[in-house]
Amino acid sequence: MIERAVEVLSGRKRILVFTGAGISTESGIPDFRGPQGIWKRFDPADYTYDRYIADPGFRRESWGKRFRSPYLDAFPNDAHHAVTRLWESGHLIGCVTQNVDGLHVASGLAPEALVELHGTANRIHCISCGDEPEFGEIEQRWESGEEDPACHRCNGILKTTIVYFGEDLPMDATRRAWDMAEQADAVLVIGSSLSVYPAAFVPLDVVDRGHPMVIINRGKTDHDFRAAVLIDGTAGEIVPTLVDRLTGSE
Ligand code: APR
């Protein structure tokens, strides 16, 4: 099936890459809806913006999970690096990711190429005044005992920029994602069930504009029927091979 994907994507210069949790599982970070997915162990209804704002105990738990996360030292894998190579070889309009793990950034993907549509665990902001303290500063304060550090500017609630259920997507990221979808001439979905909105509308918008969608995913997605090419397999193996073929570096 890679042959078919090469045929469909060859020669295109404005491919939109859309990634989900499946691109990071080979870096040791679990996905949400796969066989070992996070939502098989936790209830997504617990991870709401309203609960974060109302419940100091939940905030303390969230900071503990963030600063003690075993995923803190996850590294980008071959699929992340392949996406960066595809950008650097001039084939992409950009990459819109639903992931908050920062691994596309860690793989060296240029900031202008990347939209973190669901925010990132590596940035912190005040929900009241919008101040964005350094991650390290808040980590220091937490390490020295402040379990629910407040904004130093307005004493408001601090939060990573991860978008919780019930929270609006960041305006700037949303606008940039739609701009990319508008200009794209194809969309390559990697490791997403395409089951969460409005994020999933981004790749579907490219299809609605009459351009092909290639899906690389382990198992089904909610929109397989709209794909020009479906590759049921592992991102870390398939994406580098596909990128080698598209960039002629094979
Ligand atoms: N290679 C290819 N596909 C993989 C791999 C892999 N190594 N590992 C897992 N997958 C597939 C899974 O089988 C699954 O179909 O990736 C898909 C990931 O789907 P989800 O777990 O639903 O993750 P995602 O699509 O990113 O979820 C979207 O849901 O809970 C919210 O905000 C959260 O951003 C997340 C959003």
Side-chain angles (χ1 to χ4, degrees):
M1 281 316 264
I2 283 201
E3 287 315 314
R4 188 80 189 92
V6 170
E7 242 174 77
V8 166
L9 296 176
S10 275
R12 294 183 191 268
K13 297 289 177 207
R14 298 192 317 281
I15 301 168
L16 173 64
V17 169
F18 182 80
T19 64
I23 197 172
S24 296
T25 55
E26 291 161 87
S27 297
I29 299 177
D31 63 18
F32 296 96
R33 296 171 188 81
Q36 319 300 327
I38 290 174
W39 299 145
K40 298 266 191 302
R41 286 172 281 148
F42 299 97
D43 179 356
D46 289 344
Y47 293 80
T48 62
Y49 182 73
D50 290 347
R51 185 177 173 212
Y52 187 87
I53 305 309
D55 180 350
F58 181 56
R59 289 201 295 275
R60 285 194 295 273
E61 188 191 317
S62 304
W63 286 120
K65 277 191 185 150
R66 180 62 195 89
F67 294 126
R68 283 280 170 273
S69 163
Y71 313 129
L72 262 180
D73 48 11
F75 290 96
N77 62 58
D78 292 345
H80 295 102
H81 290 302
V83 169
T84 300
R85 269 192 298 127
L86 203 51
W87 163 260
E88 287 168 351
S89 61
H91 288 75
L92 300 190
I93 188 73
C95 172
V96 175
T97 188
Q98 302 169 95
N99 300 340
V100 298
D101 55 33
L103 292 186
H104 282 298
V105 175
S107 74
L109 186 60
E112 65 270 23
L114 178 62
V115 177
E116 293 177 305
L117 199 53
H118 288 165
T120 171
N122 299 332
R123 279 177 51 205
I124 291 169
H125 69 176
C126 171
I127 64 162
S128 305
C129 72
D131 187 40
E132 287 209 11
E134 280 301 312
F135 183 87
E137 176 212 325
I138 306 305
E139 186 172 32
Q140 284 271 321
R141 288 173 55 190
W142 184 81
E143 296 281 5
S144 47
E146 287 187 66
E147 291 184 294
D148 179 17
C151 173
H152 265 171
R153 205 164 77 176
C154 74
N155 205 34
I157 292 173
L158 293 178
K159 177 179 167 297
T160 66
T161 62
I162 295 174
V163 176
Y164 278 51
F165 288 109
E167 185 178 2
D168 292 336
L169 296 189
M171 297 256 279
D172 179 51
T174 304
R175 182 187 50 72
R176 290 184 60 227
W178 286 112
D179 284 353
M180 287 182 180
E182 222 167 276
Q183 299 169 58
D185 59 7
V187 56
L188 171 58
V189 174
I190 306 171
S192 177
S193 59
L194 294 178
S195 60
V196 168
Y197 301 88
F201 286 136
V202 172
L204 296 177
D205 182 58
V206 182
V207 178
D208 290 345
R209 293 171 187 280
H211 304 301
M213 171 162 69
V214 173
I215 297 179
I216 299 172
N217 196 65
R218 263 194 206 139
K220 293 195 174 321
T221 78
D222 284 10
H223 293 279
D224 284 354
F225 64 102
R226 305 202 62 191
V229 185
L230 267 182
I231 306 181
D232 184 338
T234 299
E237 289 158 27
I238 294 164
V239 181
T241 307
L242 175 61
V243 168
D244 285 349
R245 295 291 305 280
L246 293 175
T247 57
S249 53
E250 183 183 48

